[in-house]
Amino acid sequence: MQDGDSAAPQPLAGVRVAVGVAQGLALYLLYSAFDAKVWPATGAIFAPLVLLALFLPPISIVGAGNVRTRTLTIWVAAAATVILALAWYDIWRDWPVNYVWAGPAKGPRAEPPLLPSFAFTAFLAAGLFIADALIAGGDADRKFMASYPTHFDVAWKLAVQLALAAVFVAAFWLILWLGAGLFQLIKLNFFERLIEHRWFAIPASALAAAAALHVSDVRAGLVRGIRTLALVLFSWLLPLMALIAAGFLAGLIFTGLAPLWATRHAGALLLIAAAVLVVLINAAYQDGHAERQALPFFRYAIRFASFLLLPLVALAAYAIALRVDQYGWTVDRIASAACVVVAASYAIGYIANAFAPERRLLETWNFATALLILAVLFALFTPIADPARISVASQLARLQSGRVKPEAFDYNFLRWEAGRYGRDALLKLAAASSPRAIRVQAQAALSSITRYSSPTVPTAPVNLATRLIVHPAGRDVPESFVRTKWSDDPSSSQQPACLNSSNFKCDLFFADLNGDGHDEILLLLSDRTLADRLTSNNEIVIYRQSAAGWRIAGTLSLPYKCAGPYRRALLSGNFKLLPPAWQMKDFEILGARFVPNTGLMLFAQQPTCPKN
């Protein structure tokens, strides 16, 4: 079947269509259960079932007719076992952090996680793709490690099939929506209502994907042609990427490493560059056919690019090591370190191949690195090397050793990003045996119900005056303003960040806006290096003292494109107060006072930006 373009036997086509229908039905039932919150969408079994329904049918469809029945049966059973085990662990390690409102009496209620994490789902798909290609290639050659041309053909054919299936499903839905639009022109909306029903949309999408995989399999010649064209185009990008990488490495001689580390994302970018080089090297090498190897241009480009991999990977490893030494292990750094291990394997093998190309070490090394990738993925998504487990242990060690002060420790990370391991760590930190400074912070983190508000509580009185830059300098800020408890303000969401975080400062100036002889206080976020460019620095918050204390009385927005000159004028006192352009009376309705919001712009016409 792989070499011909003839139509597949009817039983094979029927089997693949049946698998597609079964997948669509399973996904529809799972979606309905999730929507109705009934079994199996009530416990840890739901995520494994969803992943089984997503991944097992495509494995069966592409394997049918291409892999021996016995091999396919064993592979599907093994894949199902791995999916079930890893998906259960992915749910188990995730502490329930999803909160829903259960009503005024009960307040927010924690819901257990039901869906697998995005990272796990994505990397599970990648792992299954690699394993499927290795198994199909080995079955074709009847040995554990198939010949490189076989592995190359199987892997790239599968990649093109999946890409074509995704494009076909997208085109399928574009045509359906086009049809719905045509019917809408004549005031018939039954077609639109039909395709919006999930009992149609989910099975239809699964059936379309199955049909695309089947057609692309029986038309292997077309798939091979598309693959060859894509690889030829990619191979011509190899010299360009190699020159860019070489220029970058040469530039480091003159600039040093300081600008690289200042970016704070150097490691990730270096690893991406290494990954692109690996893909382009393989695109140029293709299946290692002698005819392809006879082209000196690509032969030298492959060798040149191979030598660039090692310094790129070494720099990425050094960047990650520096951050770990400074701040310890985190989930992202552990994932980056795993990528470094894989990239280093490619770099070592490809350099060895560059020194002895006649031995064709690249082919053996690609197979060995594919097995390494599977091992690394398995370790990352099991307790062996779970990034959450390792990062929690690292951060706790830094706290206990005194390298991080209790008030500077990231309790929010343990609460919202470290899953069950973070929860267990917080429970230990919140125990009575912990120092008070740590215990208070951990208890606050455990009680938080949103990841967007820091659970950190102050361990010492807040000196708000240190966060305020007063204009004119030397004027005293009212003590009542400094001691205000801002969380009691109903409009606390509009407060500038300096009132709640020591990481920000505000410029403060005075103006009697209502003419009562008492100055109001005006605050705007202070960041003088970026004030002309950040929209967050063009909002002025006005505070007025009342019987309830200092409260927000209004806001004032400076022009978006050029707030800087207006800020400087305000802070230097270069402004005057004008009577309102339009007086409007308030309403009193059933004893309540309502103030009309006119929606008038601050300026009669949009001001132009000053030249200086």
Side-chain angles (χ1 to χ4, degrees), residues 492-510:
S492 58
S493 61
Q494 301 178 32
Q495 293 169 358
C498 64
L499 296 184
N500 299 302
S501 173
S502 59
N503 296 324
F504 298 90
K505 290 189 176 183
C506 281
D507 287 302
L508 180 150
F509 63 102
F510 303 87

Side-chain angles (χ1 to χ4, degrees), residues 20 27 63 71 117 165 176 206 213 225 228 255 282 310 334 357 368 372 404 433 441 475 517 531 551 561 570 578 583:
L27 289 174
T71 303
S117 64
L176 289 182
L213 290 174
T228 302
T255 65
N282 281 278
L310 190 58
I334 293 168
L372 174 64
V404 180
S433 57
Q441 306 281 13
R475 179 166 175 179
R551 293 292 180 260
K561 295 183 179 179
L570 281 171
L578 303 175
Q583 295 283 354

Side-chain angles (χ1 to χ4, degrees), residues 136-363:
D139 183 77
D141 284 2
R142 304 297 193 268
K143 56 184 180 179
F144 176 71
M145 179 180 172
S147 64
Y148 190 74
T150 299
H151 273 316
F152 172 85
D153 184 70
V154 169
W156 280 98
K157 176 189 173 185
L158 179 57
V160 173
Q161 280 185 275
L162 294 175
L164 290 175
V167 172
F168 179 78
V169 172
F172 170 76
W173 274 102
L174 285 175
I175 291 176
L176 289 182
W177 283 110
L178 175 61
L182 290 175
F183 280 107
Q184 283 283 5
L185 293 177
I186 54 176
K187 307 302 181 183
L188 296 176
N189 60 1
F190 75 94
F191 194 72
E192 181 181 7
R193 292 201 305 270
L194 170 67
I195 64 178
E196 287 179 346
H197 283 297
R198 60 190 179 208
W199 54 259
F200 173 84
I202 297 175
S205 298
L207 183 59
L213 290 174
H214 171 71
V215 173
S216 60
D217 183 68
V218 300
R219 301 298 181 186
L222 292 176
V223 173
R224 190 172 292 110
I226 294 173
R227 179 199 69 192
T228 302
L229 176 60
L231 291 177
V232 169
L233 293 175
F234 284 155
S235 64
W236 284 102
L237 295 176
L238 176 61
L240 174 62
M241 184 62 200
L243 288 175
I244 291 173
F248 164 76
L249 294 172
L252 290 178
I253 300 174
F254 303 98
T255 65
L257 297 178
L260 194 63
W261 306 149
T263 64
R264 299 192 176 186
H265 58 265
L269 202 57
L270 289 166
L271 287 173
I272 292 174
V276 171
L277 277 177
V278 169
V279 172
L280 296 180
I281 287 172
N282 281 278
Y285 189 86
Q286 295 195 22
D287 61 356
H289 194 275
E291 178 181 333
R292 185 70 180 170
Q293 293 298 301
L295 297 175
F297 177 76
F298 289 107
R299 195 163 62 242
Y300 292 133
I302 291 171
R303 297 179 68 181
F304 179 58
S306 298
F307 283 114
L308 298 175
L309 278 174
L310 190 58
L312 289 175
V313 176
L315 284 172
Y318 184 49
I320 295 170
L322 287 177
R323 303 298 287 179
V324 170
D325 182 64
Q326 290 176 314
Y327 306 108
W329 287 105
T330 63
V331 172
D332 291 340
R333 290 180 195 125
I334 293 168
S336 298
C339 293
V340 166
V341 171
V342 174
S345 175
Y346 277 117
I348 294 170
Y350 285 16
I351 287 179
N353 180 77
F355 279 113
E358 68 282 355
R359 298 184 62 181
R360 306 170 76 91
L361 295 175
L362 182 147
E363 301 177 3

Side-chain angles (χ1 to χ4, degrees), residues 45-189:
I45 191 60
F46 184 70
L49 291 178
V50 169
L51 293 176
L52 288 176
L54 280 176
F55 294 125
L56 286 189
I59 291 175
S60 303
I61 290 172
V62 298
N66 294 309
V67 178
R68 288 176 296 173
T69 303
R70 178 173 175 272
T71 303
L72 181 60
T73 302
I74 296 173
W75 165 221
V76 169
T81 302
V82 171
I83 291 172
L84 285 171
L86 295 184
W88 178 85
Y89 177 74
D90 183 64
I91 292 296
W92 175 86
R93 66 181 290 281
D94 193 10
W95 181 24
V97 294
N98 301 318
Y99 282 85
V100 295
W101 185 251
K106 297 181 179 180
R109 181 187 71 242
E111 283 191 339
L114 293 176
L115 296 175
S117 64
F118 175 79
F120 170 66
T121 304
F123 283 106
L124 176 63
L128 291 175
F129 173 86
I130 295 172
D132 189 79
L134 295 180
I135 291 171
D139 183 77
D141 284 2
R142 304 297 193 268
K143 56 184 180 179
F144 176 71
M145 179 180 172
S147 64
Y148 190 74
T150 299
H151 273 316
F152 172 85
D153 184 70
V154 169
W156 280 98
K157 176 189 173 185
L158 179 57
V160 173
Q161 280 185 275
L162 294 175
L164 290 175
V167 172
F168 179 78
V169 172
F172 170 76
W173 274 102
L174 285 175
I175 291 176
L176 289 182
W177 283 110
L178 175 61
L182 290 175
F183 280 107
Q184 283 283 5
L185 293 177
I186 54 176
K187 307 302 181 183
L188 296 176
N189 60 1

